[in-house]
Amino acid sequence: MQVAEAMRERIQSGAITDRMPSEAAIAAEFGIARTTVRRALVSLETEGVIESVAGLGRRVTSDKTHQAPYKHVHDDLLAQMQDGRLSVGEKMPSELTLATTYGVSRGTVRRALASLEADGRVESRQGVGRIVRATAEEG
């Protein structure tokens, strides 16, 4: 219960805003077994304070965390295209760069980019990479 309370306080204070530390990191910090940490985290999940996200671990509950990780990357890149931070004809950052930026796997980035390609917002050019495309209304 002490571990759950400590994690809850960190979340409420803003010290933890998105991803929870790993079970191993929490166990090392408090000098306890991972099974004890797991019980504390399950308690926080039951309360709705945190949730498990496949492929990412545990995260603080918020509206954004209910979205698939690839969708978050897709939506953010789309917003960058719409506000001009990524302009038409510009080469997209590499998968590795995007994976590092968003803290997700390259597979998650590939899925987001494939979704943008399916939407007609990104074009893949062999030997060049992915390029931002104009929409019909942009000409």
Side-chain angles (χ1 to χ4, degrees), residues 19-91:
R19 287 191 183 172
M20 293 295 293
S22 69
E23 289 178 6
I26 296 170
E29 178 183 345
F30 289 91
I32 56 175
R34 284 183 62 181
T35 54
T36 304
V37 172
R38 196 170 296 126
R39 281 195 303 263
L41 294 174
V42 167
S43 171
L44 292 173
E45 285 179 29
T46 302
E47 294 173 25
V49 175
I50 63 172
E51 63 183 355
S52 291
V53 179
L56 290 179
R58 292 181 177 92
R59 303 180 93 175
V60 176
T61 304
S62 73
D63 293 338
K64 275 288 187 200
T65 60
H66 296 292
Q67 187 178 53
Y70 89 91
K71 186 70 173 139
H72 171 69
V73 174
H74 170 279
D75 291 352
D76 191 61
L77 291 172
L78 184 59
Q80 289 181 47
M81 290 173 199
Q82 292 170 337
D83 69 17
R85 287 178 284 162
L86 285 172
S87 56
V88 173
E90 185 177 343
K91 184 177 175 185

Side-chain angles (χ1 to χ4, degrees), residues 4 17 23 66 80 101 120-122 127 129:
T17 58
E23 289 178 6
H66 296 292
Q80 289 181 47
T101 299
R121 296 302 313 233
V122 173

Side-chain angles (χ1 to χ4, degrees), residues 103-119:
V104 297
S105 70
R106 287 180 70 175
T108 298
V109 169
R110 277 189 211 107
R111 188 169 177 191
L113 293 170
S115 179
L116 287 167
E117 286 181 40
D119 294 346

